[in-house]
Amino acid sequence: MNIIHVGLLGCGTVGTGVARILMEKEPLISDRVGAVIRLKTVADIDLEKDRGIRFENGMLTKNAFQVVCDPEIDIVIEMIGGEGVAKDLILKAIEHKKPVVTANKALLANHGNALFKAAAQNGVDLAFEASVCGCMPVIKTIRESLVGNRIQSMIGILNGTCNYILSKITNDGSVFEAALAEAQAKGFAEADPTLDVEGHDTAHKLAILSALAYGMEINLPDIYVEGISRITPMDIDFARQFGYTVKLLAISKSLGNAVEARIHPTMIPFENLLSSVNGSVNALTITGDAVGDMMLYGYGAGMMPTASAVISDVVDLARNRISGASRGRIPMLSYQPGRIRKIPIVPIKEIDTHYYFRFAALDQPGVLSKISGVLGNYGISIKSVHQKGRKTNGSVPVVMLSHLAREEYVIKALSEISSLDVVSDTPVLIRIEDEAGQD
Ligand code: HSE
């Protein structure tokens, strides 16, 4: 039987999961593939750590560059992460004509255009299923299963840490810091939690998905990103009273010659399936012109779910090799390289959506008319107004929901309102995604 040799770079949490599947399930995988996929070498800076795996003598090395240059290695798996040595190793492997599997979303979001070009020029594939939503086969679904569709939109919960935190605040009344600490202890938060809570990890994933869905170059810098660190239990409570849940959503919509791509806390109605996605899981709704709405749901992080996605890529590359199609049978970024375009992302100020506003206002006559007067001057129409709760520090929360409004005018109006003498504190704005309320 054919033997395909694999080199693993980085044996941290996910790397260990990958090694475990490759070693413990070698017979199962070979029954399915018709070849043996054998883990030959594992490179890591820590050779002493007990990973619960029995590596044979000579399998472990500190020299990752030796692995990517080893003529016996057929497939390289990069599990180091970050944008430094991981990038150099991937490029070196590509230079040595080795296909590479990576889960490194930050690297792909920031340097993907160059890396995919280098892979194509060297006649190898760069596979990345595990870079977005862990175990969920989102890349394969968009690139292969939905190949007959024009993708119209993708709306999803792509960060388990944020969803865990928001679920904890919503369902248990936890405070933000405690919920974040729990997420970190459970091992799905990034090493630097600001990447999670400020929305950047979600943006990395949306940049990759948008490229695949619309045939555009990866464009991280133009994605609007707002995280969850300013979401308060009070706003989550108000949202509930209006029939909404607050989620950190990745929203991407095709507008033909432009794309909307934004990450921000969003209120969605209870009836929206994403509203019931609780805890550390991810979910993505994809709308295509043939399929209509479809949804993927599952663990977006963690050792074994992410390793499962890595193995699916390894097997794809092995099958290519066995069938003699060394690369390019399926275009890495879903479109033929010559068909990938620069499609602009609409600036956030040009977005039209619905809004929730909360003002800390003095409880006295004429206040509402002053606030709504400013909103009216900017053409922002109010759908409902609620003044609820007790007076705190001399002010009461005044909550308004808007009809469809242009972000640019909303920002100008809120800036003017915050300087009114009847308003204390910066107004709160949360965007609403409510198909039933599209007016
Ligand atoms: N920190 C990420 C999350 C892990 O919480 O979803 C996978 O990207």
Side-chain angles (χ1 to χ4, degrees), residues 54-92:
R54 266 176 51 97
F55 292 113
E56 280 168 30
N57 277 349
M59 261 182 99
L60 288 175
T61 175
K62 284 194 174 183
N63 193 340
F65 281 92
Q66 202 173 35
V67 178
V68 298
C69 301
D70 178 349
E72 284 186 8
I73 296 282
D74 302 305
I75 296 170
V76 169
I77 306 173
E78 182 279 306
M79 295 283 115
I80 294 171
E83 295 170 45
V85 71
K87 183 177 167 215
D88 298 341
L89 284 163
I90 289 176
L91 285 170
K92 188 58 88 182

Side-chain angles (χ1 to χ4, degrees), residues 134-200:
C135 73
M136 288 159 51
V138 284
I139 307 292
K140 218 179 240 290
T141 300
I142 294 169
R143 190 172 56 190
E144 297 169 44
S145 312
L146 298 180
V147 67
N149 286 259
R150 280 187 200 286
I151 309 281
Q152 294 161 326
S153 67
M154 297 178 293
I155 301 186
I157 295 168
L158 309 185
N159 184 276
T161 302
C162 288
N163 204 49
Y164 185 85
I165 292 171
L166 291 174
S167 304
K168 278 271 170 191
I169 300 175
T170 305
N171 302 328
D172 306 348
S174 301
V175 296
F176 177 87
E177 291 75 14
L180 171 59
E182 275 185 52
Q184 286 175 306
K186 285 176 186 273
F188 40 80
E190 296 296 308
D192 171 5
T194 54
L195 279 178
D196 292 307
V197 298
E198 297 306 341
H200 301 295

